[in-house]
Amino acid sequence: MKKVILSVALLGAFLVSCENDSPISDNTVEESQEVQVDMSDFSLYVDQDDIAGKSASSLEKCVSMKNLEYRLSKNNGLAKKMYDIEYNTRKAIALKGQANKGKPTGGNEGGGTTPSIYEGAITIPVVINIIEQFSGQVTQNQINSQIRILNEDFQNNNSNTGNVPSAFAGLVADINVTFVLGTVNRVVNTKASWGTNDAMKIPSQGGIAPTDATSNLNLWVCEIGGGILGYAQFPGGSNATDGVVIGTDFFGETNAGGIYGKGRTATHEVGHWLNLRHIWGDGRCNRDDFVADTPSSDAPNYNCPIYPTVNCRTADMTMNYMDYVQDDCMYMFTSGQNDRMRALFIAGGPKEGFIN
């Protein structure tokens, strides 16, 4: 089994540090609130054999975890920072659970020391950075359709959501996020492929620098190469590289993308940008996506599986946006995923700037 993993020494060092010290965050919860957080399952590695052999038509759609590996190798403090974000995410979700049971937590209304998840409507401005091989390669229709599709999916207006199996119907969530098109930046560059190490974000390498990543979602459109559809930076990374990258053929509605040309690569990658993991947890049945209401799975699903597809003794939630199925066959986020994303927007959270 080939694994991409933090060195034992590094992982152990930052875990011991985290156990001995409170997470570094303005919204660290006071121990007097008696909210316990179990971090024993937290990991920053991926089993690379979770894709091999799954399907003759297998495609590594998303390389967000590989980009994370690259970023971890470049930034010694990133592992600890991501641990802290995860700790506070779980703490905020636990506080919401307490509030639902009638225990005071302070919430978003004040009166306590730490807010629970952010409950209000969220607006996210989107800056689109297009690196095209010739002028007009990426059409305005692609741009407009991509914004529309993001809003449909994050507001539970995907027309296919009615196909959610009854076993999962009660879990479907309206994330209540509105994406608003902001600046569109374009440069022409005939480079055949940009890879996955963020060269498209560096002007000196022919790319486009992000626009104020503290209050904008930066989305790069370019030829990634290798058949890769896209990737995203998880919360905690540098503002200089923060955002989502999508292959030209898979941005918005485009015939060139085939079964992946309906704009849902962006939905999947924005999910990563908002701290969601792949639905199978990137590591077979013994790995988790850190969301309580998504079933365990052993690997990504492709094409358009017939329900139920059973792995790990439970039916896979193949229609979840964080799987690898074709665009028409993904059409839900869960309530647990909603909580996980919204925990980023609380005071002191990594996405606080979008609220304030």
Side-chain angles (χ1 to χ4, degrees):
M1 178 183 293
K2 180 182 178 184
K3 294 182 179 179
V4 175
I5 186 168
L6 291 173
S7 71
V8 173
L10 173 60
L11 183 60
F14 95 80
L15 286 177
V16 169
S17 173
C18 291
E19 289 173 357
N20 293 337
D21 300 309
S22 298
I24 302 170
S25 173
D26 291 338
N27 67 312
T28 300
V29 177
E30 299 293 336
E31 290 302 319
S32 62
Q33 291 182 268
E34 299 180 354
V35 177
Q36 301 300 315
V37 175
D38 180 6
M39 294 290 290
S40 62
D41 65 336
F42 181 65
S43 175
L44 293 174
Y45 78 83
V46 55
D47 288 347
Q48 290 290 10
D49 66 350
D50 60 0
I51 294 175
K54 179 66 176 178
S55 167
S57 61
S58 291
L59 174 70
E60 190 171 17
K61 290 180 58 179
C62 165
V63 292
S64 294
M65 293 301 289
K66 283 187 176 179
N67 180 258
L68 173 59
E69 176 207 1
Y70 173 73
R71 284 293 153 203
L72 287 166
S73 73
K74 296 292 184 180
N75 183 347
N76 291 334
L78 180 57
K80 176 62 165 62
K81 190 171 183 180
M82 291 184 69
Y83 183 100
D84 288 351
I85 290 171
E86 184 66 26
Y87 180 96
N88 285 297
T89 293
R90 298 185 187 197
K91 185 73 79 172
I93 292 170
L95 283 170
K96 180 189 175 185
Q98 280 198 353
N100 289 341
K101 294 178 181 178
K103 297 180 181 180
T105 66
N108 293 311
E109 306 301 326
T113 58
T114 302
S116 180
I117 67 167
Y118 185 79
E119 299 282 5
I122 298 169
T123 299
I124 296 180
V126 183
V127 175
I128 299 180
N129 304 302
I130 300 171
I131 307 171
E132 50 197 353
Q133 295 179 316
F134 56 88
S135 181
Q137 179 184 13
V138 177
T139 69
Q140 189 63 43
N141 179 66
Q142 283 179 268
I143 295 171
N144 295 342
S145 64
Q146 187 61 85
I147 297 298
R148 171 178 57 78
I149 291 161
L150 283 170
N151 283 321
E152 288 174 356
D153 294 348
F154 280 82
Q155 295 172 20
N156 193 27
N157 284 322
N158 186 322
S159 61
N160 291 322
T161 304
N163 296 323
V164 172
S166 58
F168 302 140
L171 302 176
V172 178
D174 176 356
I175 311 304
N176 196 17
V177 171
T178 299
F179 297 88
V180 178
L181 179 62
T183 305
V184 177
N185 302 310
R186 293 178 184 262
V187 297
V188 173
N189 190 308
T190 58
K191 188 173 181 176
S193 62
W194 287 85
T196 60
N197 289 346
D198 298 324
M200 72 290 295
K201 306 173 184 180
I202 304 172
S204 64
Q205 296 187 32
I208 302 173
T211 300
D212 190 8
T214 64
S215 58
N216 293 281
L217 164 58
N218 279 266
L219 197 160
W220 284 266
V221 184
C222 63
E223 300 289 345
I224 301 173
I228 295 165
L229 276 61
Y231 70 94
Q233 179 170 294
F234 287 98
S238 169
N239 285 336
T241 53
D242 185 68
V244 167
V245 182
I246 299 176
T248 305
D249 290 346
F250 313 109
F251 174 69
E253 290 182 326
T254 169
N255 291 333
I259 61 174
Y260 299 114
K262 302 294 180 66
R264 301 225 142 75
T265 294
T267 302
H268 178 101
E269 300 303 342
V270 172
H272 284 315
W273 181 74
L274 291 174
N275 210 25
L276 297 186
R277 297 291 184 95
H278 288 130
I279 197 75
W280 67 96
D282 293 289
R284 316 307 297 248
C285 295
N286 65 334
R287 305 296 302 167
D288 192 53
D289 65 348
F290 311 142
V291 179
D293 61 4
T294 57
S296 297
S297 181
D298 72 334
N301 290 283
Y302 295 88
N303 301 316
C304 197
I306 297 174
Y307 181 83
T309 297
V310 177
N311 289 290
C312 309
R313 300 182 180 181
T314 58
D316 284 2
M317 191 180 282
T318 62
M319 65 294 307
N320 195 283
Y321 291 117
M322 302 314 294
D323 208 333
Y324 271 9
V325 297
Q326 66 191 56
D327 284 16
D328 281 342
C329 297
M330 54 171 62
Y331 37 79
M332 71 173 288
F333 288 118
T334 71
S335 297
Q337 289 174 319
N338 180 46
D339 286 351
R340 185 171 174 81
M341 289 187 276
R342 286 182 159 273
L344 301 175
F345 294 89
I346 62 175
K351 302 298 184 188
E352 177 188 14
F354 289 84
I355 303 303
N356 299 323

